[in-house]
Amino acid sequence: MAQLDGKVAIVTGAARGLGRAYAEALAAEGAAVLACDINDCDDTVAAITDAGGRAAGLQADVSSMQSCQAMAEQAVAEFGKLDILVNNAALYGGLKGARFEQLEEAQWDAVMNINVKGVWQCCKAVVEPMRAAGGGSIINISSLAAVYGLPYGLDYVASKAAVIGMTRAMARELGADRIRVNAVAPSAVMTEGTADFFGEKLEKAKTVIAAGQVIQRNLEPEDLTGTIVYLASDSSALVTGQTHMVDGGSWFL
């Protein structure tokens, strides 16, 4: 029996990169997955269904509460209930780095709107369906940057630190509902978004990042999926409020 048989999951930011990897991994373990993104998730859904899994796609904007509510409603309408949320959608790859005093206010506001408000709104949208299902698992995606302190990216760092704080607070509020809330904080993972973020400095960044790890190789998407499946499954039934560092041993909490 697969670990997630009978479970229903929403994954945001699922059109490519880590979000797609999370969606495929959850489906491979038996979950029905609603793959959501501001872009279409046709490729993600096709990959899952071609492998024999169950999935549907929905274009959604996490900065809109109406859109988040539609995600939760669609998951229940399509698959009957809702057990798992992976809050992966975030602004990252296209961000323009700068010293903190030189960051553009419009970019700061956009990052907070998606990376912080978006996480909050998705959580708000899924709480009632999860209560109706008898509990659930919310997995918020933070970043090593939140605890390590990435220079020239204060907007991103602040947003991902907020995700850790929200995770802890929501875990305390939702324990009575049997809804667990945890965060996963990876180092830079080799995805399209990371390539966009570092641009022409990517190869140098990869070398520096790997050198700072106990396990000195760069992370790939499949290095994250085991942690996501664990937190989504009943194997982590008494794990909540935690931030799980998946960073090759860069930072010890």
Side-chain angles (χ1 to χ4, degrees):
M1 179 176 176
Q3 295 184 68
L4 301 177
D5 278 349
K7 303 286 189 182
V8 176
I10 289 174
V11 180
T12 66
R16 67 174 194 170
L18 282 173
R20 176 172 172 172
Y22 299 153
E24 291 184 22
L26 294 174
E29 286 296 332
V33 177
L34 182 65
C36 302
D37 200 295
I38 200 165
N39 301 306
D40 75 70
C41 291
D42 292 351
D43 290 346
T44 302
V45 171
I48 291 171
T49 56
D50 288 350
R54 292 192 299 156
L58 182 69
Q59 284 190 267
D61 177 1
V62 300
S63 69
S64 161
M65 188 61 214
Q66 183 178 3
S67 190
C68 293
Q69 195 65 46
M71 284 193 300
E73 292 171 359
Q74 181 68 21
V76 174
E78 190 84 29
F79 301 117
K81 62 172 184 167
L82 180 57
D83 306 285
I84 300 157
L85 167 66
V86 181
N87 258 323
N88 174 69
L91 291 183
Y92 168 51
L95 296 180
K96 182 180 178 182
R99 291 183 61 91
F100 77 89
E101 73 272 22
Q102 296 172 348
L103 286 169
E104 295 179 2
E105 183 178 356
Q107 178 173 288
W108 178 279
D109 291 344
V111 169
M112 296 304 157
N113 201 32
I114 300 296
N115 297 14
V116 181
K117 184 180 178 183
V119 169
W120 172 55
Q121 293 190 148
C122 287
C123 291
K124 286 170 63 179
V126 305
V127 163
E128 286 307 321
M130 285 189 177
R131 284 177 177 146
S137 175
I138 295 173
I139 305 165
N140 297 325
I141 306 301
S142 181
S143 171
L144 170 65
V147 295
Y148 191 85
L150 176 70
Y152 311 113
L154 184 64
D155 45 3
Y156 182 75
V157 172
S159 73
K160 291 303 187 178
V163 169
I164 293 174
M166 289 192 295
T167 296
R168 292 171 175 169
M170 286 190 290
R172 293 196 181 277
E173 290 191 28
L174 294 174
D177 297 305
R178 297 177 182 262
I179 299 173
R180 299 177 293 108
V181 190
N182 291 286
V184 176
S187 180
V189 186
M190 297 304 105
T191 63
E192 302 99 318
T194 295
D196 291 344
F197 185 81
F198 287 107
E200 63 184 20
K201 298 178 181 177
L202 177 62
E203 291 306 314
K204 180 179 179 181
K206 288 168 63 176
T207 300
V208 171
I209 291 166
Q213 298 174 183
V214 174
I215 302 170
Q216 295 189 343
R217 70 165 176 82
N218 294 118
L219 273 70
E220 299 292 339
E222 54 267 28
D223 293 316
L224 275 293
T225 55
T227 301
I228 298 297
V229 169
Y230 163 70
L231 291 173
S233 76
D234 293 339
S235 295
S236 57
L238 285 178
V239 178
T240 194
Q242 303 303 312
T243 298
H244 299 258
M245 310 300 295
V246 185
D247 61 0
S250 300
W251 190 264
F252 300 155
L253 287 179

